[in-house]
Amino acid sequence: MRKRQKILLFFATPAMWLSYDNRPYLYVNRKQIIGNSEEELFDKLYTLFYGAENYTLEDVFPEWLRFKRDNTPIDAKSLRIYIQEWNKYFVGQPIIKKKVTELESNDFVSLYRAWTAKRQLTPRLFSNLKSIVNGIYSYCIQELRTVKNNPSKNIDMRQFPTKPVRNEEDVFTLSDREKLLKQLEDKTDIYSLCMRLAFYITIRFAEISHLKFKDVKGDRLYINGQYLLTTSMNDDLSFEENRYENVDHVKGYQREGYRYILLVPEAQKIIKLVRKHHPPGSDDDYIFRRMVDGEEKQLSISTFNSKIKKNAG
């Protein structure tokens, strides 16, 4: 019924006829459109007026996101970032109202100039925005098969100025590290032990909180996954409530992430302290866990970060 109502918008008084074999048909721009039934006829008309060949960038964007969600290992956080960047930088630009099949390189030159004329974008953000364009075109080329090439690929990107970036990330100096370790050396609560280990091994907190006792084999610690804050994207591009989840992949889904690291004697000592003060039921237990309402759970990244800041002064 929705298809029929949308199609009727194109006709002031649609005149439908029956062919010699009683199949319904009508003319669109002097071309006969015919169906085995009235429903099939309206399906064909819908494809004609609203089919993939007529898709604009804003039509393809949600389809591309759903395709990425269902057919690639992308996480919901990345999908949410794509939506945020689309809403901020694409919505309101004339280009997204044009049919993908009719877009040319100059259309994207105009878009990129609008973004970068005053050096508004960092190189990384500009790259992210271009990846949305490239992703949409890959979908149109490989899945929808409505175009054969990506016109934005023919543009010399050196003509677009970006914002200079000065990296001034806060990091712990050696003296900061020694001071923090000194402050924690007599503490045996689970967060303190976790913080101590974090300064002796070079892995992310999401990986630390995923570690199990069975991952420790002698002086080797095996990294097999991570504990992530995640969500799920719905078909309408809304998101489910955030939740923590153990996943069997590492950052970037790279095979190189599955690895082992050598434990220095001090790191081995810390894991032994965890066994002593927070004994596991079995080696399948997570190394760093806490009790919440009588149930063991893995450590919270927000609590971990706040405790580091508090101890670091």
Side-chain angles (χ1 to χ4, degrees), residues 3-269:
K3 287 185 178 181
R4 187 186 187 97
Q5 290 172 344
K6 292 189 76 171
I7 291 304
L8 291 177
L9 295 175
F10 286 90
F11 301 93
T13 54
M16 191 180 303
W17 295 272
L18 292 178
S19 65
Y20 69 93
D21 56 359
N22 287 322
R23 289 189 299 164
Y25 70 92
L26 54 71
Y27 284 93
V28 178
N29 296 330
R30 299 183 179 180
K31 179 181 178 181
Q32 185 187 60
I33 310 297
I34 190 167
N36 291 317
S37 65
E38 192 172 312
E39 180 180 2
E40 183 178 300
L41 174 60
F42 275 95
D43 283 342
K44 287 186 176 182
L45 290 169
Y46 188 86
T47 299
L48 176 65
F49 289 110
Y50 294 99
E53 293 79 7
N54 297 300
Y55 281 1
T56 63
L57 282 179
E58 69 176 351
D59 292 327
V60 180
F61 178 68
E63 280 203 17
W64 170 63
L65 290 182
R66 289 188 285 267
F67 175 82
K68 293 280 286 182
R69 177 198 63 187
D70 297 337
N71 298 278
T72 71
I74 192 170
D75 58 47
K77 178 181 177 182
S78 298
L79 293 173
R80 178 173 273 163
I81 291 173
Y82 280 145
I83 293 172
Q84 291 170 345
E85 292 178 343
W86 173 270
N87 290 337
K88 185 172 182 179
Y89 295 99
F90 287 86
V91 172
Q93 296 289 348
I95 191 173
I96 71 171
K97 299 289 186 180
K98 294 185 178 181
K99 293 181 182 180
V100 176
T101 54
E102 298 177 356
L103 289 172
E104 300 177 352
S105 297
N106 284 341
D107 293 301
F108 290 99
V109 169
S110 298
L111 176 67
Y112 296 164
R113 282 176 178 165
W115 285 344
T116 63
K118 297 180 180 179
R119 295 185 183 271
Q120 303 98 312
L121 307 182
T122 63
R124 180 175 180 178
L125 177 54
F126 189 29
S127 177
N128 288 350
L129 298 178
K130 288 185 294 181
S131 74
I132 293 177
V133 173
N134 294 335
I136 288 175
Y137 267 94
S138 292
Y139 178 70
C140 289
I141 293 168
Q142 298 171 15
E143 304 302 323
L144 298 181
R145 299 185 180 181
T146 52
V147 294
K148 293 184 177 180
N149 56 69
N150 177 355
S152 72
K153 290 285 190 179
N154 303 323
I155 301 172
D156 181 1
M157 296 298 172
R158 293 173 296 181
Q159 64 184 291
F160 306 113
T162 54
K163 181 189 299 184
V165 178
R166 178 181 296 137
N167 292 318
E168 294 183 346
E169 295 183 1
D170 292 331
V171 296
F172 282 93
T173 64
L174 285 176
S175 60
D176 291 334
R177 175 181 177 274
E178 293 304 318
K179 178 181 176 182
L180 186 58
L181 287 173
K182 182 69 175 176
Q183 191 165 325
L184 296 172
E185 66 179 352
D186 295 326
K187 297 182 178 180
T188 57
D189 66 277
I190 197 65
Y191 275 103
S192 294
L193 292 171
C194 185
M195 285 186 279
R196 288 172 64 183
L197 185 66
F199 279 93
Y200 283 105
I201 59 176
T202 54
I203 67 175
R204 299 162 56 242
F205 177 80
E207 295 171 332
I208 291 178
S209 54
H210 185 269
L211 294 174
K212 295 184 175 183
F213 285 97
K214 67 180 181 182
D215 297 327
V216 181
K217 295 178 172 58
D219 63 351
R220 292 185 177 187
L221 178 64
Y222 288 81
I223 313 301
N224 302 305
Q226 50 188 338
Y227 185 52
L228 293 177
L229 182 65
T230 186
T231 183
S232 301
M233 188 186 80
N234 301 312
D235 285 345
D236 63 359
L237 307 193
S238 64
F239 288 84
E240 299 290 336
E241 186 176 350
N242 288 342
R243 64 187 182 278
Y244 277 97
E245 185 176 283
N246 287 293
V247 295
D248 60 357
H249 62 77
V250 293
K251 188 174 184 180
Y253 296 87
Q254 298 299 311
R255 179 177 296 179
E256 294 78 6
Y258 297 106
R259 64 200 187 278
Y260 73 83
I261 59 176
L262 291 174
L263 294 171
V264 297
E266 190 61 32
Q268 295 178 53
K269 176 183 174 183

